[in-house]
Amino acid sequence: MKRALSPAETPQVGRSLPRLESWLKVTGRAEYVHNLRLPGMLYGRIFRSSVAHGRIRRLDVSAAQAVGGVHRVVSAADLKGIVPDPYYGPAFHDQPVLAVDKVRYVGEPVAVVLAADPHVAEEAAHLIVAEYEELPAVYDELEAMTSKAIVHDALKPAGTFPDLKHLKGRTGTNVALDFHLRRGDAAQALAAADRVFEHRFRTQQVMHTPLEPLVSVAESTDSSLTIHTASQSPSFVRIEVARLLGWPENRIRVRVPFLGGGFGAKLYIKLEALVAVLSLLTRRAVKISLTMEEQFFTITKHASSFRIKSGVTRDGRICARECEVWWNGGAYADIGPRVTQKSGFTAAGPYDIEHVAIDSYALYTNLPPAGALRGFGIPQLVWAYECHTDMMARELGIDPIEFRRRNLLRDGRPQATGTLMRDAAIEKVLDRLAVLLEWNRPFDRGTGVVRRGRGIAIGFKACVSPTTSLAAVNVNGDGSCIVYCSTVDMGQGSDTAMAQIAGEVLHLPAETVRVVHSDTDVTPYDMATLGSRSLFHMGNAVKLAAEDALKKLNQLKSELQMPPDAAIPEIFKKKYGMQAGNVVGTGSFIPSYAPPDYATGLTSDATPFWMVGGSGVEIEVDTETGRVRVARLVNVADVGTPINPKIVETQLSGAAIMQLGFTLFEKMLFDEHGQLRNASLAEYKIPGFLDMPEEIINEAVSAEQRSGPFGAKGVGETGTFGVSPAIANAIHDAVGVRLTVLPLNPESIFMELQKAK
Amino acid sequence: MRRSIQFRLNGEAVSAQVAPHETLVEVLQDAFGLFGARESCGQGLCGCCTVVVNGRAVSGCLYLASFAEGGEVSTIEAGSRLDAVQEAFIECGSLQCGFCTPGFILMTRQLLEEHPEPDDDTIRHYLSGNLCRCAAYPQIIEAVKLAARKMRQT
Amino acid sequence: MPFELAEPRSLREAIASLDAKDPSVRPISGGTALMLMMKAGVLRPSRLVSLGKLGLAGIRTGPGGELRVGAMTSLRTIEKSEIVRKGWPVIARTLRTLANVRVRNVATVGGHLAHADPHMDLPPVLSALGARVTIAGAAGERSIPVEELGTGYLETSIRLDELITLLEVPPLGGRSAAYLKCTTRSADDWPAVGVAVSLDFQGDSIREASVVIGAATDKPTRLAAVERILVGRKLDENLLDEAATQELSVEGDLHGSAAYKKQLIRVYLRRAIHEARAQSR
């Protein structure tokens, strides 16, 4: 591959440059932790709980220990010398490295078998015997509000992140966090409204299923630890493992190569604390690679319940809204409290409503933990409020797009928190959806068995705040450039985007810029690669760092009395007498933020930017079977000004197709004992080629995020927002039945059709 | 229990010590340091472990290494230059995280051998046993068609 | 996990390597299903007897015009065989959506039939067509209808020391056949219901009918009541709906409840009959 060092003649931002690592990926050479083998490495195989809630009465590992080739079997009792308080988590320190005394869900790690041969470890793990005294369990988020089964006896807020400092939980309940927002007087406004509508919606528990299952490797010496991990948050891993061990951060190194998908599954701490302590315990390198099945017992997306109630005036204006949202967080909080709060405050939707009351609850249950999954709770909310919007529009006899247009939250108006909307092209997104769907032209509704319908939905999201990104840009003696940042490229194309940003500032072709992958010994702090924050936050940091480098180069030029158009290598040559030296620019970015008032949830500065996404669909329903075929899927988004339009398009379309799976069939199915019945890709189906809509159109509206790097903002999640309600709205349009529970599988549609007969 | 098997790997005669239970993808990784075929779902459904044995694509995670004895095994690492399919995947942006990409490329080569001018339906059916969680499916269809055009031109 | 892998060179040697009493000794052909069972821990073999070197692959037509397929023939070879496409197009069409290309490249028809997972596509099709298999054992060979192979979920009438060696499918003659399946989650899912019909049309009426369903029951099941209704008279869809599920014990599973699966059987039965009729014209 030719990589010229000549200055770029054209702008780097706005280029549809193929991903920088394309060659590595099409030749199978991309580095994943999956590939890593270290000398003397042991493989760990996890033995997991078979009960949903219980005290561990007896754990017998003797048979496993006796298997030839087993190095050691480790349970919580063995960890005490290394980690006195073995609990971790980003919001609460509630999750044990291995179960201590109690288990809280089926599939919770209880012990680990270590062996040089992974088959031996697996075989031996089957021989471990555990006896439990079973405790009452709770699985449903609504029941968890009042259940006598309490998942955690004590709650230990982590206090790590500034936006979660207020966390305390409610001891003696399953409530990890309750968030409340009060704007105006919703109760009174509802009483005075001309029409009032109230609906309830639910979403199911699903899983990220990155095709590279979670995997971590640790190697250690007496005083240092290196963790190679498929993680979206290397900086957090280092901080959290350092805290657990009582070590300074500089003794721990966290390296992250490419990720085979993340989607939120590989955030905060997953296997890292476990491999770290196992390596310290055995003085060997230790690798744990989860199977696809085990991923289902590790991290999932919140199931949720939503009650929404709106008051509407005679002329179709929404004047008041009450929202109650219950998030099923599973047995450990993970980042659920942030989902509850950050998504909670947008629960009233992208509408200009004077009186809003929101109550949002993060609940513990005895299910596998739930975290963030491509949307941080937003798809669950949009599902509810956009079905609700359509239901009201139809009742009122107003066209669904017209009804939305009458109520849209426009730039300059306060969102429910009181934060003013800025650079949020909500109306443009709605307008483009209407155009691309040819909303005003006659629509063929089908005849006989197959009926056709169409629907739309729009949603918005506030990017999580406040979070920090740091970057360094190094210009070498020959003028070539290296970007150091801890953003993890898990497929979203961040390496390429960062190279384009640095290249734009330094007038270098982006393909000549190298981006060093996360290595906490080398790359500076970054909060995490999550919530579509990286392009904005890290993009700004990289831009600042590149500008800093440029400034230093220009300073050198003037110190050396060189002409302004002097080439970079000439500067270094003059300064050092040969090709030598380098210039390092640094950049640090944290947006402004005002925390919400605890009682009212109001704040003047809730987020650094708003993401806006909408989808429209045309579908066919087979009325004899309830099967739905999506013929056309249109996704429109405000992503600011795209840095790389082609990658933006694949992000929008990929996110929408992923959400299509969550909409139509993906669902984790539990029995009455909290046992997961479909923990494999044979029984938990994700969208494949034959599930694709015949036609997919993606469009980023012309827009600018003025505070973003070159007008850009995040896009990774935006395509998910509108898909589910658009399809439910289209089903209603086609056959007149309304589904309020995801997924919209053929059987539930058929059963509704039967009821309607 | 281990025994030596001989086969050709990407054009070279090789031998490996394998246990009866070891799969082809394990042997490629552990004995030959080839990681382009990788186990993901472990059930032959996702195609990440695709390997070509005697000219036919197989799921390397469900294929006993012993069965490759005397055969011709080819992986994504074969060859030193990009072919039309790889070029098309790059140009069409048909990859995101890249974990499934080698499998898709090997399957696309087989598809184009059988169907030099495939229509959408043929592509979808042929590749329906490969999963991409990043869902680059529309871009993969583009790449298959572009690769077909490239191959016809040369 | 550790097991012995035997690779016999002759059928006799292969049968001798099996064990009439020990279920941990198993024959392996393509291995796609066995590997899954081993990975899931439901099969822990002591010895696997590989059938790959027995030379049991090949497709030809027999003296009576019947299709003769060696048990070790891959599903993909059958799918692409011109003999099959011309003479038994329903088999080639069924194979196109069976699992995926890689599985079909490796899985063999003998292994497919011996596995007896009720969700598989070929057993109902072959049963509806009146196909037979030859089974070889120490005592010699026997031939049984494919329909009598499955005795329950993952259970067959093949003894532990026997092997399927040959599949024979009678010529279609004047019959037209169709197989439709319905998935309820992703399109590549195991079917919730599969319906195979083989119908001999004479104008608007049907001279001979064979109807077998898969996936909804623990083994492929012939719908004799439906066949009786179909034969010798004009199609009455109301009668058909009732007959479709009256004799069936359908159990709900992850693909759908029993009631829903019965609905799918009614709908797909009608559609399969229509498709067969369309082909007959």
Side-chain angles (χ1 to χ4, degrees):
Chain A
M1 221 173 239
K2 262 191 242 161
R3 296 203 163 168
L5 273 182
S6 54
E9 280 161 16
T10 50
Q12 296 305 299
V13 162
R15 280 180 75 194
S16 281
L17 176 71
R19 283 175 168 73
L20 296 185
E21 74 283 9
S22 294
W23 185 90
L24 293 173
K25 286 182 174 172
V26 299
T27 61
R29 267 101 167 164
E31 184 195 355
Y32 302 98
V33 180
H34 181 86
N35 306 357
L36 184 66
R37 273 105 172 118
L38 293 171
M41 187 171 85
L42 297 169
Y43 288 87
R45 180 75 183 190
I46 298 173
F47 169 79
R48 295 172 182 279
S49 166
S50 56
V51 303
H53 198 194
R55 273 179 223 296
I56 304 171
R57 279 288 169 240
R58 192 173 75 93
L59 185 65
D60 182 354
V61 302
S62 54
Q65 186 71 68
V67 172
V70 167
H71 178 80
R72 187 165 177 182
V73 184
V74 176
S75 64
D78 304 305
L79 308 181
K80 279 186 188 141
I82 294 172
V83 192
D85 187 28
Y87 294 90
Y88 62 83
F92 287 91
H93 293 154
D94 58 2
Q95 189 158 4
V97 176
L98 288 170
V100 180
D101 303 331
K102 249 181 107 170
V103 290
R104 295 181 178 86
Y105 69 96
V106 174
E108 178 164 7
V110 174
V112 180
V113 180
L114 293 167
D117 180 339
H119 292 284
V120 169
E122 182 187 350
E123 204 55 25
H126 289 300
L127 302 176
I128 296 177
V129 179
E131 282 171 21
Y132 305 95
E133 173 198 336
E134 287 199 48
L135 299 169
V138 59
Y139 308 113
D140 178 278
E141 63 273 12
L142 292 172
E143 285 170 24
M145 286 293 287
T146 53
S147 171
K148 291 216 166 58
I150 302 296
V151 182
H152 291 273
D153 304 325
L155 297 169
K156 293 174 284 181
T160 313
F161 291 110
D163 62 316
L164 300 174
K165 285 261 191 259
H166 60 285
L167 274 187
K168 44 186 186 282
R170 285 200 216 150
T171 305
T173 74
N174 290 310
V175 179
L177 171 113
D178 49 329
F179 169 77
H180 307 284
L181 184 146
R182 294 290 179 271
R183 172 176 186 73
D185 187 340
Q188 199 186 358
L190 280 168
D194 296 321
R195 297 284 301 271
V196 173
F197 301 89
E198 181 171 356
H199 302 113
R200 285 174 178 269
F201 300 90
R202 298 197 80 156
T203 67
Q204 79 285 31
Q205 193 169 12
V206 297
M207 202 269 275
H208 314 62
T209 63
L211 289 187
E212 175 201 36
L214 291 164
V215 52
S216 300
V217 180
E219 49 182 328
S220 58
T221 67
D222 61 326
S223 59
S224 74
L225 185 69
T226 301
I227 303 173
H228 312 262
T229 180
S231 169
Q232 297 173 230
S233 48
S235 301
F236 181 82
V237 167
R238 181 169 71 164
I239 290 173
E240 191 69 341
V241 173
R243 182 188 65 78
L244 285 167
L245 298 174
W247 287 13
E249 284 189 58
N250 68 356
R251 282 169 58 190
I252 297 166
R253 176 183 178 195
V254 181
R255 274 193 69 241
V256 181
F258 288 112
L259 260 57
F263 317 112
K266 297 172 177 172
L267 274 171
Y268 310 108
I269 284 210
K270 292 296 178 282
L271 300 169
E272 292 87 353
L274 181 56
V275 292
V277 295
L278 291 172
S279 176
L280 289 168
L281 203 60
T282 57
R283 296 292 173 203
R284 300 268 291 264
V286 173
K287 178 175 192 174
I288 296 184
S289 306
L290 296 191
T291 60
M292 185 58 78
E293 174 184 355
E294 288 179 289
Q295 291 206 99
F296 287 92
F297 300 117
T298 308
I299 189 68
T300 68
K301 176 177 177 172
H302 289 81
S304 67
S305 294
F306 193 148
R307 183 185 69 82
I308 184 166
K309 185 174 182 181
S310 296
V312 184
T313 63
R314 205 158 283 118
D315 58 346
R317 284 276 310 162
I318 305 168
C319 55
R321 179 163 283 182
E322 253 177 33
C323 304
E324 265 188 300
V325 197
W326 298 269
W327 305 88
N328 192 328
Y332 297 104
D334 199 86
I335 202 59
R338 184 180 274 146
V339 170
T340 303
Q341 174 184 321
K342 299 292 176 187
S343 296
F345 75 67
T346 70
Y351 300 108
D352 197 337
I353 306 171
E354 204 177 339
H355 303 279
V356 177
I358 297 170
D359 298 297
S360 181
Y361 303 92
L363 292 150
Y364 284 114
T365 61
N366 295 106
L367 291 175
L373 197 173
R374 209 164 193 172
F376 235 85
I378 295 298
Q380 291 99 317
L381 299 175
V382 187
W383 158 245
Y385 65 63
E386 280 299 85
C387 284
H388 179 66
T389 304
D390 248 50
M391 291 160 88
M392 293 192 295
R394 282 171 196 279
E395 280 285 317
L396 294 163
I398 307 175
D399 173 81
I401 288 187
E402 169 55 24
F403 181 59
R404 285 175 173 83
R405 205 170 264 137
R406 272 183 215 176
N407 288 287
L408 280 188
L409 190 53
R410 290 174 170 85
D411 260 31
R413 292 287 301 157
Q415 190 266 345
T417 53
T419 299
L420 298 183
M421 296 303 290
R422 276 201 195 91
D423 296 343
I426 301 173
E427 190 164 19
K428 224 180 224 176
V429 167
L430 184 65
D431 287 347
R432 287 301 298 160
L433 270 178
V435 170
L436 292 168
L437 284 167
E438 300 175 280
W439 193 257
N440 293 324
R441 288 178 59 175
F443 180 71
D444 170 16
R445 308 200 152 271
T447 51
V449 170
V450 176
R451 296 303 169 100
R452 305 182 77 247
R454 55 185 182 163
I456 62 140
I458 54 169
F460 77 141
K461 175 177 186 274
C463 183
V464 59
S465 194
T467 68
T468 300
S469 288
L470 275 75
V473 167
N474 175 13
V475 180
N476 295 308
D478 65 353
S480 66
C481 166
I482 303 180
V483 173
Y484 298 87
C485 71
S486 292
T487 291
V488 174
D489 200 325
M490 49 190 180
Q492 81 280 36
S494 55
D495 283 4
T496 310
M498 297 309 158
Q500 286 182 265
I501 289 170
E504 179 74 33
V505 174
L506 294 166
H507 305 291
L508 291 170
E511 50 271 65
T512 69
V513 174
R514 231 185 100 218
V515 179
V516 170
H517 281 168
S518 309
D519 177 342
T520 57
D521 269 11
V522 178
T523 55
Y525 174 88
D526 176 50
M527 182 264 192
T529 304
L530 60 76
S532 305
R533 65 173 292 281
S534 300
L535 186 66
F536 182 89
H537 292 79
M538 187 59 79
N540 268 322
V542 167
K543 182 165 175 272
L544 289 170
E547 287 165 352
D548 187 40
L550 192 62
K551 196 175 84 191
K552 286 174 174 161
L553 285 168
N554 287 334
Q555 270 167 3
L556 263 182
K557 264 188 238 178
S558 63
E559 278 167 29
L560 299 166
Q561 291 168 335
M562 296 178 81
D565 61 346
I568 296 172
E570 298 307 315
I571 307 172
F572 285 105
K573 234 175 237 170
K574 188 154 184 193
K575 167 93 177 165
Y576 298 109
M578 60 178 286
Q579 181 176 325
N582 44 10
V583 155
V584 179
T586 59
S588 158
F589 183 79
I590 181 167
S592 64
Y593 174 69
D597 179 82
Y598 182 73
T600 65
L602 300 181
T603 166
S604 61
D605 195 356
T607 181
F609 66 90
W610 301 96
M611 301 158 66
V612 183
S615 292
V617 294
E618 292 177 12
I619 60 139
E620 292 177 4
V621 182
D622 181 331
T623 53
E624 287 183 331
T625 63
R627 283 165 57 95
V628 169
R629 199 177 66 87
V630 179
R632 200 155 178 250
L633 170 61
V634 177
N635 308 303
V636 181
D638 169 9
V639 303
T641 309
I643 298 287
N644 184 317
K646 180 72 188 175
I647 293 181
V648 163
E649 191 198 334
T650 55
Q651 282 285 291
L652 286 176
S653 116
I657 293 168
M658 191 174 199
Q659 190 66 29
L660 199 64
F662 300 146
T663 305
L664 293 176
F665 43 80
E666 289 183 44
K667 181 180 185 177
M668 291 172 66
L669 285 161
F670 294 91
D671 70 10
E672 66 275 25
H673 305 293
Q675 300 271 358
L676 183 58
R677 298 171 66 202
N678 60 337
S680 78
L681 287 198
E683 293 298 344
Y684 179 95
K685 304 307 294 184
I686 65 173
F689 250 113
L690 297 173
D691 301 300
M692 286 308 92
E694 264 151 62
E695 189 186 2
I696 302 179
I697 297 171
N698 307 292
E699 184 176 294
V701 299
S702 139
E704 186 187 3
Q705 178 66 39
R706 283 165 293 175
S707 54
F710 303 105
K713 61 183 158 195
V715 59
E717 304 160 306
T718 315
T720 65
F721 297 169
V723 175
S724 304
I727 292 176
N729 292 340
I731 291 170
H732 185 271
D733 188 49
V735 294
V737 301
R738 174 57 64 177
L739 281 93
T740 57
V741 179
L742 286 177
L744 310 174
N745 61 34
E747 180 165 356
S748 53
I749 295 168
F750 177 74
M751 292 306 169
E752 286 302 317
L753 282 166
Q754 290 300 101
K755 269 193 235 163
K757 264 187 186 168
Chain B
M1 291 287 275
R2 284 180 178 271
R3 64 177 185 127
S4 179
I5 61 165
Q6 275 77 42
F7 55 100
R8 292 182 69 79
L9 175 56
N10 295 332
E12 276 181 48
V14 296
S15 68
Q17 296 291 319
V18 305
H21 63 270
E22 281 177 334
T23 63
L24 186 52
V25 77
E26 286 175 308
V27 170
L28 289 173
Q29 296 199 343
D30 293 337
F32 298 101
L34 298 177
F35 295 102
R38 41 192 70 125
E39 181 161 337
S40 173
C41 75
Q43 297 181 303
L45 299 166
C46 71
C48 291
C49 62
T50 300
V51 178
V52 178
V53 180
N54 299 326
R56 297 174 318 167
V58 308
S59 294
C61 79
L62 296 184
Y63 196 88
L64 289 178
S66 300
F67 287 179
E69 174 151 38
E72 182 85 42
V73 175
S74 170
T75 70
I76 191 69
E77 287 91 349
S80 54
R81 285 182 45 212
L82 299 185
D83 75 343
V85 177
Q86 288 167 315
E87 284 175 5
F89 268 66
I90 294 176
E91 286 166 34
C92 296
S94 314
L95 50 111
Q96 296 191 36
C97 82
F99 209 72
C100 68
T101 308
F104 270 105
I105 286 171
L106 292 172
M107 291 304 290
T108 299
R109 286 180 186 159
Q110 300 238 312
L111 159 65
L112 292 176
E113 264 175 43
E114 285 182 50
H115 307 276
E117 291 183 55
D119 58 16
D120 277 33
D121 185 63
T122 305
I123 297 171
R124 285 173 185 238
H125 271 92
Y126 205 100
L127 299 180
S128 66
N130 289 64
L131 296 171
C132 173
R133 189 51 154 166
C134 307
Y137 299 116
Q139 294 79 27
I140 292 170
I141 292 186
E142 274 178 53
V144 174
K145 291 178 173 173
L146 176 61
R149 285 200 298 280
K150 282 173 182 263
M151 287 161 84
R152 283 201 296 278
Q153 279 159 11
T154 53
Chain C
M1 157 207 53
F3 56 83
E4 176 201 345
L5 183 67
E7 295 186 274
R9 303 262 163 179
S10 71
L11 185 58
R12 182 186 299 183
E13 202 190 324
I15 289 167
S17 305
L18 296 170
D19 189 320
K21 304 239 165 58
D22 184 354
S24 77
V25 177
R26 293 287 289 262
I28 178 168
S29 48
T32 50
L34 275 197
M35 289 293 286
L36 288 180
M37 294 169 74
M38 281 154 57
K39 284 187 166 193
V42 293
L43 173 67
R44 292 166 175 272
S46 59
R47 178 160 74 232
L48 292 182
V49 180
S50 169
L51 311 181
K53 292 175 179 167
L54 304 186
L56 287 176
I59 299 173
R60 59 193 178 87
T61 43
E66 78 277 16
L67 176 68
R68 297 170 67 90
V69 184
M72 285 297 290
T73 310
S74 78
L75 297 179
R76 187 82 176 138
T77 305
I78 300 171
E79 177 189 356
K80 292 170 75 176
S81 151
E82 277 307 311
I83 295 175
V84 174
R85 285 175 178 234
K86 286 209 180 92
W88 293 266
V90 66
I91 294 178
R93 276 198 304 272
T94 300
L95 284 166
R96 188 181 187 226
T97 57
L98 187 154
N100 59 49
V101 173
R102 286 183 313 283
V103 168
R104 300 201 295 278
N105 277 339
V106 174
T108 65
V109 70
H112 184 78
L113 294 175
H115 183 49
D117 185 318
H119 296 95
M120 297 191 315
D121 297 316
L122 278 187
V125 174
L126 295 174
S127 298
L129 296 178
R132 302 179 68 84
V133 285
T134 301
I135 296 171
E141 288 186 342
R142 61 193 176 102
S143 166
I144 64 165
V146 169
E147 196 172 344
E148 288 171 21
L149 257 183
T151 54
Y153 185 78
L154 302 185
E155 286 170 8
T156 68
S157 53
I158 309 167
R159 287 191 290 271
L160 288 174
D161 59 348
E162 287 184 323
L163 293 169
I164 297 177
T165 55
L166 181 72
L167 167 71
E168 286 178 283
V169 190
L172 280 188
R175 296 179 292 167
S176 58
Y179 175 71
L180 291 183
K181 64 173 167 180
C182 175
T183 62
T184 54
R185 299 179 297 193
S186 68
D188 70 334
D189 196 1
W190 289 101
V193 164
V195 180
V197 300
S198 162
L199 305 171
D200 191 351
F201 286 98
Q202 197 171 40
D204 266 354
S205 65
I206 295 170
R207 192 159 48 193
E208 187 196 317
S210 179
V211 179
V212 180
I213 62 154
T217 46
D218 66 354
K219 58 174 185 174
T221 306
R222 180 169 294 276
L223 302 185
V226 170
E227 292 172 351
R228 282 194 297 276
I229 286 170
L230 288 172
V231 173
R233 55 179 131 174
K234 274 196 125 173
L235 195 59
D236 181 333
E237 296 205 336
N238 293 325
L239 275 179
L240 203 62
D241 273 4
E242 201 175 306
T245 54
Q246 69 180 20
E247 295 165 9
L248 286 181
S249 112
V250 176
E251 283 191 21
D253 59 15
L254 298 177
H255 305 273
S257 68
Y260 181 60
K261 283 186 162 192
K262 285 184 175 178
Q263 167 69 7
L264 292 179
I265 292 169
R266 288 189 284 267
V267 172
Y268 279 79
L269 175 62
R270 259 190 275 129
R271 292 179 185 180
I273 292 168
H274 283 290
E275 188 174 315
R277 183 197 292 266
Q279 280 168 30
S280 75
R281 283 179 180 146

